[in-house]
């Protein structure tokens, strides 16, 4: 009798955990399009530091880091560490840009900004974003084509 109770309890726990992962995946998928557009806008902003206004640069990075923060809060365990890694990489860039008051003309030559931008292309950051892209592609059926690229 106790084996049946144990088996039933284990099955219920498994079902609840699976349901939670499914809900987290659905929640993440609901933000996939926003993530895609934020990555595209950020990539364009990084490539055009010297031509983008400080307000637009700050807004673009804020939308991306905000989206990553939301996704990080709801991400399934399968990609949570990848979301966190990606978020840290872009937050490093945000801090560097904040240190030059979001001035793209200064960012082009500032060592801190350039280092943070180059760190986006580090293997661990690229791998984390690629894992997140793959998860979104497989689970959400959305292709994310932009993201971490060297300046």
């Amino acid at each position: 009798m106790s084996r049946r109770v144990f088996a039933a309890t284990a099955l219920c726990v498994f079902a609840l955990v699976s349901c939670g992962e499914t809900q987290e995946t659905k929640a993440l998928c609901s933000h996939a399009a926003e993530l895609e557009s934020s990555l595209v806008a950020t990539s364009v902003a990084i490539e055009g530091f010297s031509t983008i206004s400080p307000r637009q640069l700050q807004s673009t990075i804020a939308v991306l880091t905000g989206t990553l923060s939301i996704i990080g809060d709801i991400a399934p365990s399968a990609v949570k560490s990848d979301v966190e890694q990606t978020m840290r990489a872009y937050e490093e860039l945000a801090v560097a840009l904040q240190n030059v008051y979001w001035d793209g003309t200064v960012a082009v030559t500032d060592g801190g900004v350039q280092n943070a931008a180059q760190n986006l292309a580090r293997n661990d950051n690229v791998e984390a974003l690629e894992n997140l892209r793959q998860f979104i592609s497989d689970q959400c059926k959305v292709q994310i084509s932009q993201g971490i690229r060297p300046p």
Side-chain angles (χ1 to χ4, degrees):
M1 177 96 163
S2 65
R3 285 185 180 178
R4 286 184 183 177
V5 170
F6 177 75
T9 303
L11 184 60
C12 287
V13 168
F14 176 75
L16 288 173
V17 168
S18 296
C19 181
E21 284 282 312
T22 301
Q23 292 303 321
E24 290 169 344
T25 298
K26 286 180 183 177
L28 186 148
C29 289
S30 73
H31 293 282
E34 182 179 345
L35 178 61
E36 164 71 2
S37 64
S38 296
L39 286 167
V40 169
T42 300
S43 180
V44 169
I46 291 171
E47 290 172 6
F49 271 149
S50 62
T51 61
I52 190 169
S53 74
R55 181 174 289 181
Q56 185 178 2
L57 183 57
Q58 182 179 15
S59 176
T60 299
I61 300 292
V63 170
L64 176 59
T65 56
T67 301
L68 286 168
S69 179
I70 290 168
I71 289 174
D73 289 343
I74 59 175
S77 59
V79 291
K80 191 159 194 75
S81 65
D82 295 314
V83 174
E84 291 168 349
Q85 177 72 30
T86 302
M87 188 167 44
R88 280 192 301 273
Y90 281 103
E91 285 176 343
E92 178 187 355
L93 178 63
V95 168
L97 287 166
Q98 185 177 10
N99 288 338
V100 297
Y101 304 100
W102 302 97
D103 187 337
T105 58
V106 175
V108 171
T109 59
D110 181 77
V113 173
Q114 291 304 304
N115 188 48
Q118 289 170 358
N119 281 343
L120 293 175
R122 248 185 16 219
N123 287 346
D124 57 335
N125 292 328
V126 171
E127 183 178 324
L129 183 57
E130 186 54 39
N131 291 342
L132 178 57
R133 280 185 179 133
Q134 191 62 52
F135 180 87
I136 291 172
S137 175
D138 294 345
Q139 300 298 319
C140 309
K141 307 303 182 219
V142 173
Q143 298 295 319
I144 296 182
S145 58
Q146 292 286 326
I148 295 173
R149 284 195 274 164

